[in-house]
Amino acid sequence: MFTKKVFISSLSIMFALSGISVVQAQNTGEQKTNSDISELLTLDENNSEFLKTLMKDGYAELGRYKVEKIKDNVYHWDEGTKKLPGGATDENGAMNNPSSMYFVLSEDGVVLVDLGNGSQNEEDIQNAKTIVESMTGDKHLSIIITHSHGDHTGFGRSKEVFSNVTVDNVYVSDADYDVAFEAISQFDGKITKVHSGETVDIYGAPYEFNVVNAHTEGSLMITDETHEALFTGDTFGSGFIWALFETNGGNPLAALDKGCSLARKILNNNPSLSILAGHRWQQFWEDNAQRPNEMSIQYFNDMAQVISGLLDGTTISNSYTAASWAPDAVELSSNGAKAKIDTLPKYIEAYKKAVNQMQEAYVYSGSDQLSIESVNAAAAPTFVVYPDGNMSDEEAEKYIEASGIKEIVNRSASKVYVARPANGVEFTSDDVQGFEAIVGKIGVSSNFKLIGIGNGATFINQNLASYMNFVSGLALVNPEKGMDVNVSVPTYLVTDNDEIVNTYVKANSATKTEDGYYVNPESHYEVVAVNKDTGLDAVSATKDAWEKVLKKFGRIGNYSDVYKETATWYSRPLISGNKEADQARKYQYFDSVDAIDNIDRYVNTQDLDNDGIDSLWYEYIPEQSKDAKEGSVPAVVLFHGNTNDPRTQYDTSGWA
């Protein structure tokens, strides 16, 4: 039978007297009464006023240091006082940048997370010594180092600070150990190297260590569910993140992105965790308009938004001057996001290259060309090309440049994927899995263009018929006969094989309207254009296909009769995890913006409410209305739609 017993120490008794619960499970003994505790009270006279103030107010200062209560049994310590808070300028003109340290109190011992900037000033050392001894009392102490930088290992150099305290263990990541050791060498023999995914029991509480190598190679994110805390050090900063170092093989942003996903998973499982970062003052710094204040899962959502915006052009980049040793540094942010990343252009390029790079295809991205002049991302055409056998990256680059695809992709801020055969020579049925990988990489496209040339056209014709329901435009140049197509798909063919032509004419319920052109009389979207010049080269055929078919239509996934499922937002082919449901889904056509030539588009920006921020909207004026009598043309207002993009309803609704 376990009974609760208050642990007797100078500090925990003060907690008990002030109503702060510090409880220990013991096998024997009865719970002490307040009178028993007061009789055992043994406070160091020099420490009593500091502790009394802290217990009364949850805040106390000692010299240039402060300690404040964050939550039960968790206290924050840093070098920012009320007189000189973080961000303020000291008497020497230097901005105060306190590093955060945290005491975690339990019955069996105290954990100190990080060791701050440290000091060589004797008064500072004595004050730090007083704080450590006061917060530890007669318990033992263990130390966790979030990462190896000097502003988080500083007091490790001060033996005096820990001279009257029993330090059991110092935990540091294996990857940061070598750099950190010089600062914490006084604890040699007590240092434990931890690894990502490892959980260590410290004074009865499990601490889960995860490495997020975006700031240093071994930066730790530490989960302490017992005390409801998530310690992030500088791994995720406190509103600012320095991803300025050669970590993760030169791609710190990829590590940061992965870490964000992990943090969100941890917080989804336990939303009560307090996020305790390495420079807490930055969260509340009034000079930062995007300060996050107390951080939550939304902070990691915002961080992910900044990172993902590098791929679609929505991330804002400004020069960053605080790192004088990195003159080309930039600060990345995003509208509405309360998170910033300070990094180098080479790391941005490394991230984008790694994201776009895939074994199954050469990828060219025009995402960084995004501007207010671009069409909405959902309406922008995405190309997947299967060439006549294997193409080198250089050959793929030449093809997309000469065919005009690169210009289209840049204008639309979208992407083109030039597929690679798995066997390195030609496409076979084994490449269907590669197609699914490419589509999964795209994720969302309502304007999916599929092009096949020679062997690549035959591969599509013989293997991808069941995927045509989400293709908004198909071009096949000299294919061999393939499978029957059971759904309509706007098609351009270079062939003199009537059997192949009839397959697609039938699929589109089309009838001949002129030589080489077939249209469904009930739907202008369902067309087949045929060019019988089988000697046409790939570049010329691609240009012709774009003008006659590919640029005209998009498709939005709506509903599956078989599985009674509605699509979310736009088409998400093959990524739902249910291929049959995706292949059975109905997709509705719309007229592509590229095909609408009787409406002028105007981009408008204006500060409508005088808040210093321009509003953005788009006006579409039909040619027929320009000479119309005043008052005779109705105004149609289409409200934004997904992601608050004012183009969405026009670009993908088919209204125009």
Side-chain angles (χ1 to χ4, degrees), residues 335 606-615:
N335 284 327
Q606 185 178 336
D607 184 359
L608 296 175
D609 50 6
N610 298 315
D611 65 351
I613 301 174
D614 282 346
S615 295

Side-chain angles (χ1 to χ4, degrees), residues 211-217 235-236 247-249 251-262 307 351:
V211 172
V212 181
N213 54 333
H215 184 66
T216 66
E217 205 62 63
T235 301
F236 292 105
T247 63
N248 192 36
N251 192 353
L253 297 183
L256 191 60
D257 192 34
K258 185 178 179 181
C260 282
S261 296
L262 176 59
I307 297 170
Y351 173 72

Side-chain angles (χ1 to χ4, degrees), residues 423-440:
N423 62 23
V425 180
E426 62 180 5
F427 296 100
T428 69
S429 59
D430 292 338
D431 289 292
V432 173
Q433 186 175 357
F435 173 75
E436 294 181 356
I438 292 171
V439 173

Side-chain angles (χ1 to χ4, degrees), residues 454-480:
N455 163 244
T458 299
F459 163 74
I460 293 172
N461 217 23
Q462 295 180 350
N463 297 279
L464 301 185
S466 61
Y467 299 91
M468 291 301 160
N469 65 328
F470 60 77
V471 176
S472 65
L474 173 68
L476 299 176
V477 181
N478 293 323
E480 295 180 13

Side-chain angles (χ1 to χ4, degrees), residues 194-366:
V194 294
H195 304 86
S196 196
E198 184 177 357
T199 299
V200 178
D201 185 280
I202 308 176
Y203 303 132
Y207 284 75
E208 181 184 349
F209 297 95
N210 284 289
V211 172
V212 181
N213 54 333
H215 184 66
T216 66
E217 205 62 63
S219 286
L220 289 172
M221 179 169 64
I222 304 134
T223 307
D224 174 6
E225 292 194 348
T226 303
H227 302 97
E228 297 186 329
L230 180 67
F231 300 99
T232 65
D234 288 353
T235 301
F236 292 105
S238 310
F240 304 85
I241 294 177
W242 269 24
L244 291 164
F245 310 106
E246 195 82 9
T247 63
N248 192 36
N251 192 353
L253 297 183
L256 191 60
D257 192 34
K258 185 178 179 181
C260 282
S261 296
L262 176 59
R264 286 185 289 182
K265 180 180 179 181
I266 291 170
L267 290 165
N268 275 322
N269 290 336
N270 193 343
S272 64
L273 297 179
S274 295
I275 300 166
L276 302 177
H279 296 271
R280 185 172 167 81
W281 69 272
Q282 294 175 357
Q283 297 170 219
F284 310 93
W285 190 30
E286 293 186 358
D287 284 3
N288 175 18
Q290 292 174 286
R291 58 189 177 276
N293 295 306
E294 289 292 351
M295 298 194 297
S296 66
I297 194 171
Q298 185 59 46
Y299 178 76
F300 296 98
N301 293 338
D302 288 354
M303 185 61 60
Q305 177 181 324
V306 175
I307 297 170
S308 65
L310 293 171
L311 303 177
D312 62 23
T314 57
T315 292
I316 300 167
S317 178
N318 293 303
S319 295
Y320 182 70
T321 59
S324 58
W325 45 269
D328 60 340
V330 293
E331 183 160 74
L332 306 177
S333 60
S334 183
N335 284 327
K338 295 189 175 182
K340 294 180 180 180
I341 302 172
D342 306 316
T343 191
L344 302 178
K346 65 178 181 179
Y347 297 146
I348 297 173
E349 292 307 311
Y351 173 72
K352 289 160 61 175
K353 181 178 180 181
V355 169
N356 289 326
Q357 191 172 21
M358 59 187 308
Q359 181 179 348
E360 295 81 3
Y362 164 80
V363 186
Y364 174 78
S365 174

Side-chain angles (χ1 to χ4, degrees), residues 376 616-618 620 638-651:
N376 176 267
L616 168 66
W617 72 97
Y618 296 79
Y620 302 88
L638 298 176
F639 291 101
H640 55 78
N642 179 38
T643 69
N644 294 324
D645 189 326
R647 298 166 294 180
T648 301
Q649 290 292 350
Y650 170 80
D651 287 356

Side-chain angles (χ1 to χ4, degrees), residues 403-458:
S403 64
I405 291 178
K406 184 175 182 179
E407 180 184 354
I408 296 165
V409 165
N410 283 342
R411 184 174 71 244
S412 304
S414 57
K415 295 179 182 178
V416 55
Y417 298 77
V418 181
R420 301 184 179 110
N423 62 23
V425 180
E426 62 180 5
F427 296 100
T428 69
S429 59
D430 292 338
D431 289 292
V432 173
Q433 186 175 357
F435 173 75
E436 294 181 356
I438 292 171
V439 173
K441 190 82 166 181
I442 295 168
V444 177
S445 176
S446 291
N447 204 342
F448 187 96
K449 310 302 184 187
L450 183 60
I451 300 173
I453 302 161
N455 163 244
T458 299

